[in-house]
Amino acid sequence: MKIAIIGGTGNMGYGLGLRLAKANHEIVIGSRTAERAEEAAKAARALVGTSQITGAENASAAQEAELVILSVPTAGHREMVQSLRDILSHKCVLDITVPLAFKPLRYAPPLEGSNAQETAAILGEGCRVAAGFHTISATLLTDLEAPLEADALLVGNDAALKEQLLTLGREIGITVYDAGTLTLACALESQTPMLIGMNKRYGSKHIGFKMVGF
Ligand SMILES: NC(=O)c1ccc[n+]([C@@H]2O[C@H](COP(=O)([O-])OP(=O)(O)OC[C@H]3O[C@@H](n4cnc5c(N)ncnc54)[C@H](OP(=O)(O)O)[C@@H]3O)[C@@H](O)[C@H]2O)c1
């Protein structure tokens, strides 16, 4: 599948892009500048050993892809989704962003309730938006030799999109569980500030979750 990553030059998007490319997907790393995107794509091609990673300015990246992953800091989230609205309303979208605020570190969601619901509100009725993978460590994603042991949760209103994303998770070595509809995205996004704090307290970089009882 051709997958664009908006903000794919950052830790989280870049790491996910590496893993998805390793699983034989075609990746377009998006950036606000084509130069940064191409630079990141060149480094990623060398790391994964594939030619299937390219770089492009965010809008061109999104235009080219079947699935678009949103991976920008929350400060740019609303503006980015608004600027790509016409393109994203025809695409499958995975929002992995987390509305973080600092000092103290906390979950600071937008009025819609979560970043994913903000995305859905901007894209409008009929959009296909899911949220998930927030608790997978960017450090682990980027280290291609490290196994991804943690599980992840996924929410969304489109059953076919969720099925596709559960498969993508399996392909990169993560067990992803369907945790319900997009209204529950706040429960997933809000785990990230907690994990950041736990990583600091326990001296780790990749504390995650394992689900039990299935
Ligand atoms: N890092 C993690 O472990 C982790 C875990 C869970 C969730 N998340 C969430 O995933 C998202 C990405 O995390 P990250 O650590 O990769 O973030 P990041 O490195 O701060 O940013 C990702 C990319 O977004 C672009 N960007 C920066 N400011 C922007 C703005 N104002 N508007 C539009 N684009 C902007 C930059 O790319 P260009 O300069 O090339 O455009 C940057 O490389 C965040 O929402 C974060 O909360 C991260």
Side-chain angles (χ1 to χ4, degrees), residues 108-191:
L111 284 177
E112 290 83 351
S114 64
N115 270 8
Q117 286 168 292
E118 180 177 82
T119 298
I122 295 168
L123 298 187
E125 213 168 302
C127 68
R128 285 166 293 166
V129 178
F133 295 69
H134 313 86
T135 53
I136 302 299
S137 147
T139 309
L140 268 191
L141 285 169
T142 312
D143 179 358
L144 290 178
E145 300 307 316
L148 296 174
E149 287 163 341
D151 295 335
L153 299 177
L154 179 74
V155 292
N157 300 340
D158 185 301
L161 171 58
K162 284 199 284 190
E163 205 45 58
Q164 246 180 348
L165 294 169
L166 299 186
T167 303
L168 278 190
R170 271 196 298 280
E171 288 172 352
I172 65 170
I174 302 170
T175 307
V176 183
Y177 293 92
D178 181 351
T181 60
L182 207 66
T183 50
L184 294 170
C186 60
L188 276 58
E189 294 176 1
S190 61
Q191 291 168 342

Side-chain angles (χ1 to χ4, degrees), residues 13-89:
Y14 185 73
L16 201 48
L18 292 179
R19 295 284 180 163
L20 289 167
K22 200 176 164 195
N24 291 321
H25 290 284
E26 205 177 328
I27 304 300
V28 191
I29 294 180
S31 165
R32 286 168 296 175
T33 74
E35 293 74 21
R36 267 201 301 276
E38 185 40 49
E39 204 177 300
K42 190 176 169 190
R45 283 194 295 271
L47 267 178
V48 181
T50 176
S51 59
Q52 299 286 299
I53 307 174
T54 53
E57 189 274 323
N58 285 320
S60 315
Q63 188 80 63
E64 284 182 44
E66 290 162 65
L67 170 69
V68 179
I69 299 178
L70 297 175
S71 184
V72 294
T74 206
H77 181 264
R78 182 182 290 271
E79 200 185 326
M80 181 58 71
V81 178
Q82 279 170 338
S83 73
L84 299 177
R85 183 178 53 196
D86 291 347
I87 301 170
L88 295 184
S89 50

